[in-house]
Amino acid sequence: MKIQMKTNMKLSIKEIIKRIKILEDELIVLNQEEDKDNYVIYLKDEKVEKSTYDFDKTNKKRQEINQEILRLKIIVQKANIKTITSYKGLSISELLILLAQKSALIQRFDLLCSKKQKARKTTNDGQIEYIEYLYDINKLKDTNLKLKQEIASMQVAIDKANIETLIEI
């Protein structure tokens, strides 16, 4: 399934992202089909069956798809830089960077929140040992929840901007 792009069309960023995904899926299918068709198996002294596989034709199609993906990704990237979201007046690009930073922080906080504030264990030689974390786990859980809510707001702002922003392609 080849997507034909008309010039001078207006699409939302979201629609362009969907088109990129469809093209990437098309590329996966093309590669899978090539993997099935790019060889023949035959026995010694047996006539080799003629294959319809054509590397040059397949590679040309792959290059065309990749070129269209690149063109669309550049359009999206330029739009992301220019498009201001409803979240603190940040562009989509700025917000994506901030979102990545905050998502990494959530991963760290999730790990830290999984601990018990104070735990007791018995060592191999029968002594009782305590582990006490030097931060307030309950306070961190609250901070982490607020951070997750902030990320949700950021994602909504990105989604809204992606849907509402129309770009001529």
Side-chain angles (χ1 to χ4, degrees), residues 64-96:
E64 289 170 358
I65 295 169
N66 277 326
Q67 190 62 37
E68 183 63 7
I69 290 170
L70 176 63
R71 185 181 82 82
L72 293 175
K73 282 186 174 187
I74 289 170
I75 290 169
V76 169
Q77 188 61 28
K78 288 178 180 178
N80 284 350
I81 292 168
K82 294 178 185 175
T83 303
I84 303 302
T85 69
S86 59
Y87 185 86
K88 298 183 179 180
L90 296 174
S91 71
I92 293 174
S93 285
E94 293 166 328
L95 203 45
L96 288 170

Side-chain angles (χ1 to χ4, degrees), residues 30-86:
L30 179 67
N31 290 337
Q32 288 171 340
E33 287 174 358
E34 181 181 42
D35 287 343
K36 289 189 302 187
D37 298 337
N38 66 0
Y39 62 93
V40 292
I41 298 174
Y42 58 94
L43 297 172
K44 182 180 174 185
D45 300 326
E46 185 179 83
K47 182 180 175 189
V48 179
E49 285 188 33
K50 186 72 175 158
S51 172
T52 59
Y53 172 73
D54 182 339
F55 173 80
D56 292 331
K57 182 179 173 184
T58 303
N59 198 45
K60 183 178 182 215
K61 185 170 183 176
R62 184 178 10 258
Q63 288 174 343
E64 289 170 358
I65 295 169
N66 277 326
Q67 190 62 37
E68 183 63 7
I69 290 170
L70 176 63
R71 185 181 82 82
L72 293 175
K73 282 186 174 187
I74 289 170
I75 290 169
V76 169
Q77 188 61 28
K78 288 178 180 178
N80 284 350
I81 292 168
K82 294 178 185 175
T83 303
I84 303 302
T85 69
S86 59

Side-chain angles (χ1 to χ4, degrees), residues 103-142:
S103 293
L105 193 55
I106 280 185
Q107 285 183 327
R108 179 66 185 155
F109 285 178
D110 281 344
L111 177 67
L112 293 174
C113 287
S114 70
K115 312 292 183 190
K116 286 179 72 174
Q117 190 68 56
K118 187 176 186 179
R120 175 185 140 163
K121 80 175 199 181
T122 305
T123 62
N124 290 339
D125 62 357
Q127 294 188 33
I128 295 176
E129 180 178 89
Y130 291 93
I131 299 172
E132 186 171 353
Y133 288 93
L134 303 176
Y135 57 93
D136 185 335
I137 291 175
N138 289 324
K139 185 177 174 184
L140 183 58
K141 285 179 181 178
D142 291 339

Side-chain angles (χ1 to χ4, degrees), residues 17-33:
I17 291 169
K18 289 287 184 192
R19 286 178 182 246
I20 291 168
K21 176 67 175 125
I22 289 168
L23 286 167
E24 289 171 339
D25 289 346
E26 186 178 331
L27 200 53
I28 290 168
V29 169
L30 179 67
N31 290 337
Q32 288 171 340
E33 287 174 358

